[in-house]
Every structure is written in C-alpha cells, then in structure tokens.
Amino acid sequence: MSIIKKNAPGSSELLMGNEAIARGALEAGVQFAAAYPGNPSSEIIGSLAQVAEELGIYVEWSVNEKVALEAAAAASFAGLRALSAMKQNGVNVASDFILNLNLSGVGSGGLVLVSADDPAAHSSTNEEDSRFIAKLGDLPLLEPANFQEAKDMTKWAFELSEAINSLVVIRSVSRISHARGNVILGELPPERKKAKYDTSKIFIPVAAHLRHLSLHLKLAKVREMYENSPFNWFVGPEKPELLLIASGSGW
C-alpha cells in the first residue's frame, strides 16, 4: 500500500521529500496533477499516479512542462485544486505561460507549481535557481527546509493560491526531494468537488499594466500572510547578539 494515501492523522511516516509533497497535495484536496518527467521531480507525479484511481484524482504525464502547467491551469479555471511539477529546466519551457498566468490569475481552485532544482547537477545538464522565476513573475514562493515542511507548505500553498487568486511556486531541491525523513500526517479530505467552468470569468491578461499593479498589491497581502504563517520559527537565546536568517535547504 502506498504510504501517501494512509488516512492516519497524527501518525509519523518515513517519506521521501517528493512523497511528502504529494501527500501535502492530497491533504489539500488536489484533484488534478500534471507533469513532465525529470529528476529530481519525477516521484511527485509517480506517487500521485499510484493512488489516483482509488482517490478519484486525475494524473498525467504531459508532452512537455508548458502543456503540463496549462492543463493544470485549466483544471483550476474549472474550480479544481491542481498541481504541476517539473525540474528546473522545465521552468524555462513553461516560462512563457507562467508570465501570462501571473497576470490572468487562477480559477477558484488553487494552483501550485513545484519546481525541483538540482544544485551540483547530480541528474541534470545544468544548474539553475528557479526562485528567480518567482521574482520575475511577481509570484509568491515557498521553500521547504525539511520533509515536514515539504508536506505542510504544499498543503498551505493551495490555500494561499485561492486567497490571492495567483499561482504559487514551491521550490524544492534534490537534497529535499530525494532524501527521506519522518513526516507527521494530517487528514485526507473526504469529499471531492466537481469541475465547473465559470463562463462569467475571463482568464486573458487584458490591460496588462493594470494587472501588473494588481500583482504588486497581491504581494503586499502575501507579505502579511507570510509574516503570520506557521513556517517562521526561531532557534537560539532569547536575546541574541547576532541573528542569522535562512530559508529552505540552506537552513
């Protein structure tokens, strides 16, 4: 039995980072997932595919990363929570659509893009820091530092996406995606939504200059949500002489 479908809230399970991301998506109620294979991201969709039929979700390997994100966006437009996963090279392939989707916004279903980077190019032909696509597109980004955060941040990313009507990026790295650690499971949602396309909404980034301004206003809201998120924590004395701030695997 696949561990990621285990409905045992509070239990501790040994999960690969990519399995933790997949579990977080399941706990968020994801109903559509699409990706193009490439290490270190492949196990995210592979894990979801193993439980797709039983849990009633749609999972596909797309012909490329751009198509994967477009398909996931269509599911979001139809009100379903959707996820797209790729490695850092794939972000380049999908970048044309990303830089239109940031302006159009997403549907009533949250939309999450997982980019799994490969520092030191263990299974890649290049090195690339995909965090810059979030900066380029004025998109919120989450960067898990451990396996528990990989699950919890993925779940929270869907809530954030719906709260601000925007694509949310999760940046993993090979040391998170392909390592293993203990993860405390949460609940799996009992119900699934039905897709319904709202024809009253227009998902075309018309009046781009005005939508760009709206993006900046969204980021102001994101900043407030980040400052009050459960992912900020401090380790050290009560009154330190020196404070080091870190995020992601660099922690």
Side-chain angles (χ1 to χ4, degrees), residues 123-243:
S123 56
S124 305
T125 57
N126 71 342
E127 285 186 291
E128 185 174 314
D129 188 341
S130 63
R131 288 175 293 188
F132 286 99
I133 193 67
K135 185 175 182 179
L136 180 64
D138 290 322
L139 294 168
L141 180 138
L142 295 164
E143 192 176 10
N146 54 49
F147 311 101
Q148 187 68 48
E149 284 192 349
K151 179 188 79 72
D152 294 341
M153 281 187 174
T154 302
K155 181 180 179 181
W156 193 69
F158 285 95
E159 299 173 13
L160 176 61
S161 174
E162 292 174 3
I164 64 169
N165 186 239
S166 173
L167 173 68
V168 174
V169 181
I170 293 178
R171 189 246 188 177
S172 182
V173 293
S174 50
R175 280 82 169 171
I176 295 291
S177 286
H178 280 169
R180 292 181 181 271
N182 289 337
V183 176
I184 304 298
L185 302 184
E187 293 186 10
L188 293 177
E191 298 180 357
R192 298 286 172 180
K193 293 176 63 177
K194 290 186 177 181
K196 183 178 181 181
Y197 185 74
D198 186 352
T199 56
S200 68
K201 294 183 178 179
I202 300 175
F203 297 105
I204 300 174
V206 293
H209 64 294
L210 296 177
R211 289 179 179 256
H212 201 177
L213 174 61
S214 176
L215 265 184
H216 291 177
L217 296 176
K218 288 180 182 180
L219 289 179
K221 182 178 180 180
V222 170
R223 184 178 298 111
E224 181 180 348
M225 295 177 71
Y226 275 15
E227 289 175 352
N228 294 290
S229 81
F231 305 113
N232 299 317
W233 38 274
F234 170 77
V235 177
E238 290 187 11
K239 297 181 179 180
E241 295 182 3
L242 179 66
L243 179 64

